[in-house]
Every structure is written in structure tokens, then in C-alpha cells.
Amino acid sequence: MEGPLIISNTTPLINFAQIGRMDVLEALFGTIIIAPAVVDELSAKSALFPLAARVPSLPVIKVLAPADRLLVRGLAAQVHAGEAECLALAMEHPGSLLLLDDLAARGLASANHLLFTGTLGCLAQARQQGLVTAMRPVLNELRTKARFWISEALEAQVLHATGEA
């Protein structure tokens, strides 16, 4: 695959799948690339997140393994396997956008000058484009259905940024 890719780690996929809004990611990005380790992580968490376990079989999802296994091993010393493979893929495909929520993975992405956003960034973009009509109910669903932790300060920041404060 050539050119910039949209590469997602596990957590954003769990979040959007568990609230029944994979359509948002599809509308924003079209095809989404996931690494084999992300497929494994989704499978391993299937009892907790049954809707997310189905994500790899969706038509908009394509699985791609990073070529540089040495790079993956080096990154895996600092982050989980899925994050390591996602970061390696982004390094192998300059200009790609990573969907990451984990702070350590975002730190590595930033240190390596990789483009990234997370669940809340995707939702803010979806709100701007009218794909999501109100943020507060979606944030509540993320907490209850996807077990996604959002601090009160971050929620306030997101609501303010999307004009719902």
C-alpha cells in the first residue's frame, strides 16, 4: 500500500464499535488499516467488548503487517504490541494518520514526528462535519459501553471545543 494511510490502534476501534458508531470512522476516513497485533488484541478482549471483536471482518478494515520487525521489537519495549505495530506502519508510510489514545504511544508518535489523533479528536471532527449531532451523549456512551475513561477537565475541554460548553 502506497501513500498516507489511516492506521488505528485497538482502543479507538473498541470505542467506536462498542457505541455502534464505526460509521463515523468510515465517513471520516474510508479504509482503515490495522496491524495483526491489533487483530489479536481485539480478539483477546472479545468477552469484554464483543462488538469490537467483529471489527477486523468489516469491509472498511484492511490488515497490514509492518515490514520492519526489528523496529516493532524496539517499540514494543515501550508500548503494547498493537501500538508498536501501528507506530512502525506509520513510520513505513510517511504522512499516515495514527488513531491512538494511549499516552505512551502518543508520546512516541510525537517524538517521531508522526501525525495522530484519538477517539475524542475523531469525534470532534465528526461533530464539525455533522456526523455526530451532540457530544455529551456520545461521551456518556463511551464511558458506559466502551469503559473509556475521560476526566471531567478533558470532557469540559472537548465540549467547549465543539461548542457544547
Side-chain angles (χ1 to χ4, degrees):
M1 295 186 178
E2 296 302 317
L5 305 174
I6 306 301
I7 303 165
S8 184
N9 188 40
T10 309
T11 305
L13 297 173
I14 287 173
N15 289 337
F16 282 93
Q18 288 302 124
I19 66 169
R21 294 306 310 264
M22 285 298 293
D23 63 302
V24 169
L25 292 180
E26 182 179 359
L28 289 175
F29 306 119
T31 300
I32 297 167
I33 303 299
I34 63 173
V38 170
V39 175
D40 295 342
E41 290 174 2
L42 290 168
S43 177
K45 297 178 180 197
S46 64
L48 205 52
F49 304 111
L51 297 174
R54 299 184 200 141
V55 166
S57 65
L58 296 175
V60 298
I61 300 293
K62 304 292 179 237
V63 179
L64 180 64
D68 189 340
R69 300 310 302 170
L70 190 58
L71 175 59
V72 172
R73 274 201 300 272
L75 292 166
Q78 301 169 72
V79 292
H80 294 111
E83 294 152 353
E85 288 190 359
C86 288
L87 288 161
L89 278 171
M91 290 177 195
E92 292 173 4
H93 298 272
S96 296
L97 176 66
L98 285 160
L99 308 184
L100 298 168
D101 287 320
D102 180 80
L103 287 178
R106 290 167 77 103
L108 280 174
S110 183
N112 286 284
H113 309 287
L114 302 172
L115 301 172
F116 65 90
T117 189
T119 297
L120 299 178
C122 291
L123 284 172
Q125 186 178 344
R127 176 78 168 96
Q128 288 173 336
Q129 294 182 19
L131 301 168
V132 170
T133 54
M135 291 293 285
R136 196 177 305 271
V138 176
L139 297 177
N140 289 333
E141 278 193 288
L142 283 172
R143 280 191 183 92
T144 59
K145 295 181 179 177
R147 300 177 186 199
F148 188 61
W149 187 83
I150 307 163
S151 70
E152 288 183 25
L154 183 55
E155 179 175 356
Q157 185 181 346
V158 168
L159 292 173
H160 179 74
T162 57
E164 292 186 38

